[in-house]
């Protein structure tokens, strides 16, 4: 059975207004589709068009040319704009800019209030959303007391309460400490596996893309590569030429095989360590 | 310039219901010419600590010295000395304010009375270090850039001032891998050539391990550990309880050592990737002893 596509871009172009009125094309005919329930990572150099892509996915921006469908709905359909934004939630870099409520639960309630959800339903949804991000114990806490990772989880709870189908993380881990980063990535994976949420993770950390279903690599407004992480990350030189990098494990193996050692391609430390120890012990 | 903190505390919102003690009795000494890596959980006080260096914040109690300048609760850093200390903010949008990239990067040098042609020369040089082309960027608005481009402009603005103390608050957050590497290498080169004292706040254990000769570890407003990277990264368990970690090289080596007999263990201080790889290649090519 072919998986259903939740998001499709067909020949999408986009330009921003430049100085003196000229338009600067930053997406140059992007075709891509994101399957329902998948976990997709987006990599690409600074200015390659990742955030623009994200904003087009939830109709914060509209395409100049081409077409974008979210669950079959054209993002240009003005009447559906709020429905699209509810479906496609976004989390950004700065944890402090995303929390508006005086308490954690106020913050989660914010979007629901705007939607006019009735109070009893609201209570249920807040509890459910906080539970799904593991922050139920902090419902009454003041956001400033939370760590960066916890703040990002609250931002995700605010989205979960809207019952979205997609969560886009636009470098949501960039400002977090190592454990906070792991916390947010674990949460994104769990929501993807257990609650069927489609996740689009835009990141500069190749390690975050290892366990994705698919990786999309952007370069200068175009899709440079896409495929399973193993397919994409096996092209080490091509990625490095595009200003990008591969996960640590792939780099280490790449250096060793360049010197003639025989090691199979791996994405995880455990596996590479196993092969490497065998090699070290039998040499 | 040597930097010392003597029992420095900082309280936000003193005397209001929102009082918050963000630094508690910090004492430390940073030798002139050091490259310092500062790590710590989100909210541990890293930004608060470094904002004391350029007068953005003043201590609630305690004393700071930077070279011969003394900063106390009642004594601010003199204006003329501020140009010696360049601070790259954690969030570039807090730093950028001019209409064009060129004006923004030239602002510091012009403000400290450099003639316009020299200010421009410095701006060109600084933008080159951060990987941006002066001609294509100069007339663009800094607010209509991608996140990573904005950060590059903010870093360039500080480099153009040619400060003696360079303070960088998570300068590589949001940069692509090539930009990260190129910019830090550029900064490290300037650090050595111009004998700067550099403080780098980072959430990347790899960056701290690679560049720092002294590391400071913050937790809950206190300085909880300091030392050379190889000393600090020996404490993997403690670091993890502080929401931190060890560089991936270190966890890779400890995983290898779990599967090797003790006498074949790899040294645990190979925290730079190229050293680890060189060591592995050496081991793989050496004839087996015993
Ligand atoms: N508001 C704007 N006005 C004009 N140009 C813009 C604007 N925002 C972004 N751009 C330009 O569009 C291009 C794509 O930007 P985008 O923010 O999508 O990149 P990105 O891949 O998200 O980069 P980063 O990794 O730095 O976040 C860049 O060249 C950028 O300069
Ligand atoms: N302007 C402010 N007013 C009140 N409290 C503040 C202010 N700025 C920071 N704080 C608080 O002071 C503490 C230390 O914050 P600081 O920004 O120094 O942490 P940090 O280590 O830089 O964190 P991060 O890694 O998230 O940047 C935090 O609890 C923070 O909430
Ligand atoms: Mg972006
Ligand atoms: Mg900070």
């Amino acid at each position: 059975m072919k998986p259903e596509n939740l998001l499709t871009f067909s020949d999408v172009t986009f330009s921003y207004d430049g100085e003196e009125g000229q338009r600067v094309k930053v997406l140059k005919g992007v075709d891509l589709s994101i399957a329902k329930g998948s976990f997709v990572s987006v990599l690409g150099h600074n200015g390659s068009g990742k955030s623009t892509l994200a904003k087009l996915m939830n109709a914060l921006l509209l395409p100049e040319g081409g077409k974008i469908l979210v669950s079959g709905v054209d993002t240009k359909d003005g009447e559906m704009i709020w429905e699209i934004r509810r479906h496609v939630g976004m989390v950004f870099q700065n944890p402090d800019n995303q929390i508006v409520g005086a308490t954690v639960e106020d913050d989660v309630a914010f979007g629901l209030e705007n939607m006019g959800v009735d109070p009893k339903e609201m209570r249920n949804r807040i509890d459910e959303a906080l539970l799904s991000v593991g922050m139920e114990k902090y419902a009454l806490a003041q956001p400033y007391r939370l760590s960066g990772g916890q703040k990002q989880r609250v931002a995700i709870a605010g989205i979960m309460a809207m019952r979205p189908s997609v969560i886009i993380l636009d470098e949501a881990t960039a400002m977090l400490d190592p454990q906070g980063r792991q916390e947010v990535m674990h949460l994104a994976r769990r929501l993807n596996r257990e609650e069927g949420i489609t996740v689009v993770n835009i990141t500069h950390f190749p390690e975050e893309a290892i366990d994705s279903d698919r990786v999309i690599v952007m370069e200068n407004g175009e899709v440079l590569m896409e495929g399973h992480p193993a397919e994409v990350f096996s092209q080490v030189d091509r990625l490095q030429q595009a200003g990008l990098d591969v996960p640590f494990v792939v780099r280490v193996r790449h250096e060793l095989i360049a010197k003639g050692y025989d090691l199979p391609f791996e994405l995880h430390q455990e596996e590479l360590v196993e092969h490497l120890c065998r090699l070290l012990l039998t040499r | 310039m040597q930097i010392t903190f003597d029992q420095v505390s900082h309280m936000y919102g003193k005397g209001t219901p929102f009082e918050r003690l963000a630094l508690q009795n910090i004492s430390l000494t940073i030798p002139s010419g050091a490259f310092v890596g500062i790590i710590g959980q989100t909210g541990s006080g890293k930004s608060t600590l470094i904002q004391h260096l350029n007068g953005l914040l003043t201590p609630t109690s305690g004393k700071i010295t930077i070279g011969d300048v003394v900063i106390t609760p009642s004594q601010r850093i003199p204006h003329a000395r501020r140009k010696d200390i360049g601070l790259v903010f954690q969030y570039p949008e807090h730093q950028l304010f001019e209409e064009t990239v060129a004006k923004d990067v030239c602002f510091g040098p012009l403000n400290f009375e450099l003639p316009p042609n020299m200010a421009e020369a410095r701006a060109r040089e600084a933008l080159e270090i951060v990987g941006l082309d002066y001609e294509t960027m100069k007339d663009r608005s800094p607010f209509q850039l991608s996140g990573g481009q904005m950060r590059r402009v903010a870093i360039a603005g500080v480099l153009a001032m040619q400060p003696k103390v360079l303070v960088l608050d998570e300068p590589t957050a949001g940069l692509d891998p090539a930009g990260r590497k190129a910019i830090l290498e550029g900064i490290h080169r300037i650090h050595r050539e111009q004998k700067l004292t550099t403080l780098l706040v980072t959430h990347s254990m790899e960056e701290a391990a690679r560049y720092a000769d002294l590391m400071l570890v913050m937790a809950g407003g206190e300085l909880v550990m300091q030392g050379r990277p190889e000393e600090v990264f020996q404490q993997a368990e403690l670091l993890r309880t502080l929401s931190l970690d060890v560089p991936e090289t270190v966890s890779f080596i400890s995983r290898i050592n779990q599967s090797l007999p003790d006498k074949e263990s790899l040294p645990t201080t190979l925290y730079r990737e190229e050293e680890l790889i060189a060591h592995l290649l050496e081991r793989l090519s050496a004839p087996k002893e015993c």
Side-chain angles (χ1 to χ4, degrees), chain A residues 133 165 281:
Chain A
V133 304
S165 24
L281 289 171

Side-chain angles (χ1 to χ4, degrees), chain A residues 144, chain B residues 12 20 22 40-48 90 170 203:
Chain A
Y144 80 87
Chain B
Y12 284 109
R20 180 143 183 77
Q41 183 173 18
T42 56
S44 59
K46 304 180 296 298
S47 297
T48 306
Q90 181 167 0
E170 300 188 37
H203 284 310

Side-chain angles (χ1 to χ4, degrees), chain A residues 6-281:
Chain A
L6 196 70
L7 279 161
T8 50
F9 278 53
S10 326
D11 198 19
V12 170
T13 57
F14 184 83
S15 307
Y16 288 103
D17 288 323
E19 285 74 41
E20 288 112 41
Q22 87 279 26
R23 308 266 293 164
V24 189
K25 194 164 263 188
V26 298
L27 290 185
K28 305 164 182 168
V30 171
D31 285 302
L32 57 86
S33 52
I34 289 176
K36 192 164 187 217
S38 61
F39 192 116
V40 177
S41 297
V42 182
L43 308 176
H45 64 80
N46 289 138
S48 58
K50 303 177 301 296
S51 296
T52 306
L53 208 64
K55 289 174 189 154
L56 286 161
M57 287 178 182
N58 83 342
L60 277 175
L61 296 174
L62 296 175
E64 178 179 60
K67 194 181 194 144
I68 299 169
L69 298 178
V70 179
S71 300
V73 177
D74 193 324
T75 59
K76 280 187 174 153
D77 182 346
E79 291 191 356
M80 295 297 281
I81 204 155
W82 294 109
E83 188 57 15
I84 290 171
R85 291 200 186 147
R86 187 187 67 72
H87 258 288
V88 185
M90 285 238 246
V91 187
F92 299 97
Q93 255 188 27
N94 183 345
D96 294 320
N97 286 354
Q98 306 193 52
I99 309 271
V100 290
T103 65
V104 165
E105 66 174 29
D106 282 357
D107 194 78
V108 178
F110 185 75
L112 297 172
E113 276 164 5
N114 284 350
M115 260 168 69
V117 174
D118 82 65
K120 196 160 146 254
E121 166 74 2
M122 201 148 96
R123 186 70 254 165
N124 288 339
R125 289 218 201 172
I126 292 169
D127 293 344
E128 201 182 283
L130 286 175
L131 201 62
S132 75
V133 304
M135 288 293 288
E136 65 282 2
K137 293 206 186 82
Y138 294 85
L140 298 174
Q142 292 164 303
Y144 80 87
R145 295 187 170 269
L146 304 178
S147 71
Q150 290 173 328
K151 285 177 193 162
Q152 293 296 57
R153 280 156 62 191
V154 172
I156 294 173
I159 294 170
M160 287 301 289
M162 315 286 278
R163 307 248 161 97
S165 24
V166 189
I167 295 183
I168 302 175
L169 304 169
D170 191 354
E171 298 190 41
T173 63
M175 307 308 299
L176 303 182
D177 55 54
Q179 303 302 326
R181 259 178 72 192
Q182 280 195 21
E183 206 178 291
V184 170
M185 289 314 294
H186 282 156
L187 172 62
R189 280 206 192 92
R190 192 167 56 70
L191 293 176
N192 173 252
R193 273 191 216 124
E194 293 172 15
E195 315 215 12
I197 305 282
T198 305
V199 176
V200 178
N201 184 38
I202 299 174
T203 181
H204 287 300
F205 298 109
E207 281 75 15
E208 285 185 5
I210 289 173
D211 292 317
S212 320
D213 297 308
R214 240 149 49 90
V215 178
I216 296 174
V217 183
M218 297 293 296
E219 186 185 38
N220 289 324
E222 291 176 281
V223 176
L224 175 72
M225 288 184 215
E226 65 167 305
H228 185 269
E231 281 168 66
V232 169
F233 288 133
S234 58
Q235 306 180 54
V236 180
D237 297 325
R238 197 160 164 223
L239 283 165
Q240 289 181 343
Q241 271 154 27
L244 302 174
D245 210 345
V246 294
F248 168 79
V249 168
V250 178
R251 273 197 312 272
V252 171
R253 171 196 179 248
H254 190 71
E255 297 289 329
L256 297 180
I257 63 167
K259 292 286 189 301
Y261 295 100
D262 188 20
L263 287 164
F265 183 86
E266 296 294 352
L267 287 167
H268 296 100
Q269 266 202 15
E270 296 87 321
E271 282 92 16
L272 185 66
V273 165
E274 207 183 303
H275 300 309
L276 194 57
C277 286
R278 201 169 304 141
L279 214 54
L280 281 166
L281 289 171

